Amino acid sequence: MSASVFHRSAGATFGGTADDGWVASAEADTGRPDPHGNRGRGRRGPRLRRSWAQRGILTINLGLITVSLVLAFLLNYGYQRTSSINRVALDRNLTAVPADVEPGERVLNVLLVGSDSSAGLDPDDPVQTGREGERFGDVIIVAHVDERSGNVALLSFPRDLWVPIAGTTTSDRINRAFVVGGPGALIDTLEDEFGLPIHHYVNVDFAGFQGLVDAVGAVNVPFDSPARDWNVAAKPVPRSQTGFLVGEAGCHALDGQTALAYVRSRYYQTQNADGEWITDPTSDFGRIQRQQDFLRRLAQAAIDRGARNPFVLNGLLDAALSNVAIDNELTPQLLLDLGLAFREFEPGDLETYSIPVVDVEIGGNQVLQEVESKSQPILALFQGAAFDDPSTIAVTVVTGEQRDQAAALVADDLVASLVDAGFAVVQERRRNPADGLRIVHGPDGAVAADLVASAIQEMDRREPADPFVLHGGAQRLHPRSVEIVINMTDDTADGEQSNPVDSSAGDVNNLQESPNSGTAEPGVGETPQQGESGPQSSIATPNRANEPIQSRPAVESIQSGGQELSC
């Protein structure tokens, strides 16, 4: 029998249409044994072959099916896993995300509460000392997630902050809201007092925090000296409140128990070169900074462990979720959406803030009070303004106590122009600010300084010239706080920079926090400085009077006080 072949043609098809891409063929029975061992068959049936295009389509379809199955598994796993989590009904307290906001365009505030509960810990854990499982709001943080820009920020509230408690007729420390009315009262207090919409709620107790740290193995934290928690005023004798102790300087891998003791320490001490233990005077504010820094390091440790792999992430969540409470609307689908949207987010890009406050005495209580003029730009960001919105940048225009006419003209011109541009601007007079024109920012404030520099660049200035110096490293300034220091001299007014210094001069130490600054929050607030002088980090090219700034110098972030330790 002669061989017959089925070729693709307009008039003859096999198993489909003429254009379906299949090619079929049949071979004659030669009488030889079937090479495939198909006994009793006189002739093999037609063999089908796929075109390269179809193979590509099939591969893509198989990939999509595999991804769908994985996502379905993860969602199913997530629903099963989260069904066992303690849920809190907060529908009447939380702000709903508008239904017409698409995924990828959401702006969310998640209230994170570290509850002061020792339930679930080992009975011998130092945290158990003097406790019977009571539950307070020990840590209060609002996490701001902006899908539009891919940015994340944290806003911490010191627990001694004095506020009206929602649902009552009294004021008290903000952590009392959690005691008086649970998470609902705390959410309402944050919305009523600070205008913050809260969309979701997560509560983590001590055991949950320990479990998450242990799940990543350990978190590396650098210490430039021995450190401990030690309450010198404890009764009947001084003692450690948390059990934290690091005996030598260097990089230390903190496990769950040690990390909990570290981030909870309110009586933090460091040992100087003479062996003397010095108590951190910043108390709660130092603790907030340590907490925020640790959260960055924890996130990086989770990523290093493989948290961007969904299966690894599930393992990490398993370790922590048994001691977590969340609101009813925080679904696995939303968590998956956020995980996909921020899968490339780097912990080093996390912006951290604390409400600016001052020490006050109310009713015999030493408490903290918000400085509204300085907190409003921060709150604007957490109320939904874009990360590059000028309203989220606090600009302080600083002149000397006895400012001359030239400085007055520059300051007044700048204030008016920056206000028109939408920045939150205040003016301050300080004793002996450094000579010249400077834009000063903190270690993490280069972006804010660049926005201010861009705005100044676009202004048509009058006089004098504009030799602005961009100076980084002011520890007291948060990432959205910028100072413009104006102290004119004859040389400066003529367009020449006074006291020019090589930009490679090294450490920038002229902006250390003043001991008489009058703030309860060194390193976070933006309080007046005294006697500022010293080297600048970069120098702008001078421009002559009546000329707009033609180019903006690079903004440098230089850590004050020497080389920053890292692990």
Side-chain angles (χ1 to χ4, degrees):
M1 181 181 296
S2 61
S4 61
V5 179
F6 292 85
H7 291 286
R8 183 175 182 177
S9 66
T13 64
F14 184 84
T17 65
D19 295 321
D20 67 357
W22 291 107
V23 179
S25 66
E27 295 180 357
D29 182 7
T30 63
R32 293 189 295 270
D34 192 309
H36 299 279
N38 296 321
R39 300 177 183 231
R41 289 180 60 188
R43 183 171 58 193
R44 285 181 288 163
R47 186 174 61 222
L48 305 181
R49 297 196 305 272
R50 298 181 179 90
S51 67
W52 283 109
Q54 286 179 310
R55 291 176 185 175
I57 294 173
L58 183 60
T59 300
I60 292 173
N61 288 338
L62 288 173
L64 292 174
I65 291 171
T66 302
V67 171
S68 299
L69 288 174
V70 170
L71 293 180
F73 166 78
L74 291 176
L75 280 175
N76 181 62
Y77 175 85
Y79 280 111
Q80 292 178 351
R81 190 69 186 84
T82 55
S83 65
S84 63
I85 299 175
N86 182 27
R87 293 275 185 171
V88 183
L90 296 170
D91 300 2
R92 291 181 296 178
N93 308 101
L94 295 172
T95 299
V97 178
D100 59 346
V101 177
E102 297 291 334
E105 295 295 325
R106 291 170 295 200
V107 179
L108 304 174
N109 284 334
V110 182
L111 174 59
L112 309 176
V113 175
S115 62
D116 193 5
S117 171
S118 57
L121 293 181
D122 189 293
D124 296 328
D125 194 298
V127 173
Q128 296 282 18
T129 304
R131 292 181 175 275
E132 298 180 358
E134 62 262 33
R135 195 172 183 88
F136 298 95
D138 190 55
V139 177
I140 301 171
I141 298 175
V142 173
H144 183 71
V145 181
D146 191 334
E147 289 185 322
R148 300 169 304 183
S149 61
N151 291 105
V152 181
L154 301 179
L155 175 59
S156 295
F157 292 81
R159 65 185 197 174
D160 288 338
L161 180 62
W162 193 262
V163 295
I165 303 299
T168 73
T169 58
T170 62
S171 294
D172 208 328
R173 292 176 172 88
I174 192 170
N175 70 332
R176 289 292 300 173
F178 191 79
V179 178
V180 171
L186 181 56
I187 290 169
D188 291 344
T189 297
L190 290 170
E191 291 190 344
D192 294 348
E193 184 66 11
F194 302 101
L196 296 179
I198 303 298
H199 304 96
H200 294 289
Y201 167 77
V202 176
N203 177 284
V204 182
D205 66 11
F206 289 167
F209 180 84
Q210 282 194 14
L212 186 54
V213 175
D214 287 336
V216 301
V219 176
N220 292 325
V221 178
F223 295 87
D224 58 5
S225 67
R228 70 179 183 180
D229 177 85
W230 192 257
N231 184 0
V232 297
K235 304 296 182 181
V237 294
R239 64 178 176 87
S240 175
Q241 298 289 125
T242 70
F244 174 68
L245 174 64
V246 165
E248 60 183 17
C251 185
H252 291 261
L254 306 188
D255 61 12
Q257 182 173 315
T258 308
L260 178 61
Y262 171 65
V263 300
R264 291 192 59 247
S265 177
R266 298 185 75 194
Y267 305 97
Y268 191 78
Q269 290 187 329
T270 55
Q271 191 177 47
N272 63 21
D274 296 327
E276 182 183 5
W277 287 98
I278 308 299
T279 298
D280 179 8
T282 63
S283 186
D284 246 3
F285 304 104
R287 189 176 79 138
I288 285 173
Q289 289 180 329
R290 291 189 293 274
Q291 289 168 352
Q292 293 175 340
D293 175 73
F294 186 85
L295 288 176
R296 277 198 187 100
R297 298 180 186 277
L298 176 61
Q300 187 60 60
I303 291 172
D304 293 342
R305 183 72 183 271
R308 285 173 174 156
N309 180 317
F311 294 101
V312 175
L313 179 60
N314 279 329
L316 297 178
L317 292 176
D318 268 343
L321 288 181
S322 58
N323 295 286
V324 170
I326 62 178
D327 68 90
N328 283 329
E329 302 302 317
L330 191 54
T331 64
Q333 180 63 59
L334 177 57
L335 293 174
L336 180 62
D337 288 346
L338 294 177
L340 291 174
F342 290 88
R343 62 186 178 275
E344 300 300 327
F345 182 78
E346 293 296 335
D349 295 332
L350 178 68
E351 294 188 6
T352 57
Y353 305 91
S354 180
I355 289 292
V357 296
V358 291
D359 276 310
V360 295
E361 181 177 330
I362 300 179
N365 299 305
Q366 291 295 327
V367 295
L368 304 172
Q369 193 169 61
E370 174 196 8
V371 182
E372 294 186 13
S373 62
K374 295 181 178 180
S375 66
Q376 189 50 52
I378 302 173
L379 293 175
L381 176 67
F382 285 77
Q383 289 163 355
F387 270 68
D388 58 354
D389 192 312
S391 68
T392 68
I393 308 297
V395 180
T396 302
V397 177
V398 179
T399 56
E401 289 181 342
Q402 304 296 327
R403 65 178 188 174
D404 57 22
Q405 184 178 8
L409 286 172
V410 173
D412 293 344
D413 186 26
L414 273 177
V415 169
S417 299
L418 291 171
V419 169
D420 288 344
F423 292 92
V425 186
V426 297
Q427 287 197 70
E428 289 184 2
R429 293 191 181 188
R430 300 181 188 169
R431 182 161 52 91
N432 300 325
D435 289 342
L437 303 173
R438 299 188 299 159
I439 299 175
V440 183
H441 65 83
D444 298 321
V447 173
D450 195 51
L451 287 172
V452 173
S454 296
I456 294 176
Q457 182 181 8
E458 296 172 359
M459 298 174 187
D460 289 331
R461 300 297 311 285
R462 296 179 298 189
E463 57 182 43
D466 301 308
F468 275 96
V469 173
L470 291 122
H471 189 143
Q475 292 281 12
R476 71 191 182 282
L477 299 180
H478 64 67
R480 295 192 167 266
S481 178
V482 175
E483 291 180 351
I484 301 177
V485 182
I486 302 171
N487 192 27
M488 310 301 296
T489 65
D490 291 340
D491 289 340
T492 307
D494 290 336
E496 301 296 333
Q497 175 63 40
S498 62
N499 300 321
V501 178
D502 185 351
S503 62
S504 61
D507 295 340
V508 180
N509 296 311
N510 60 306
L511 291 173
Q512 298 294 336
E513 186 69 13
S514 168
N516 301 315
S517 62
T519 179
E521 193 175 3
V524 178
E526 309 144 287
T527 56
Q529 296 297 292
Q530 297 183 8
E532 293 185 346
S533 63
Q536 288 81 36
S537 62
S538 64
I539 299 176
T541 302
N543 292 281
R544 297 300 171 186
N546 302 317
E547 293 181 2
I549 302 175
Q550 298 299 319
S551 62
R552 186 170 67 258
V555 181
E556 299 182 13
S557 286
I558 298 179
Q559 186 74 22
S560 279
Q563 184 67 32
E564 183 180 11
L565 288 175
S566 60
C567 286

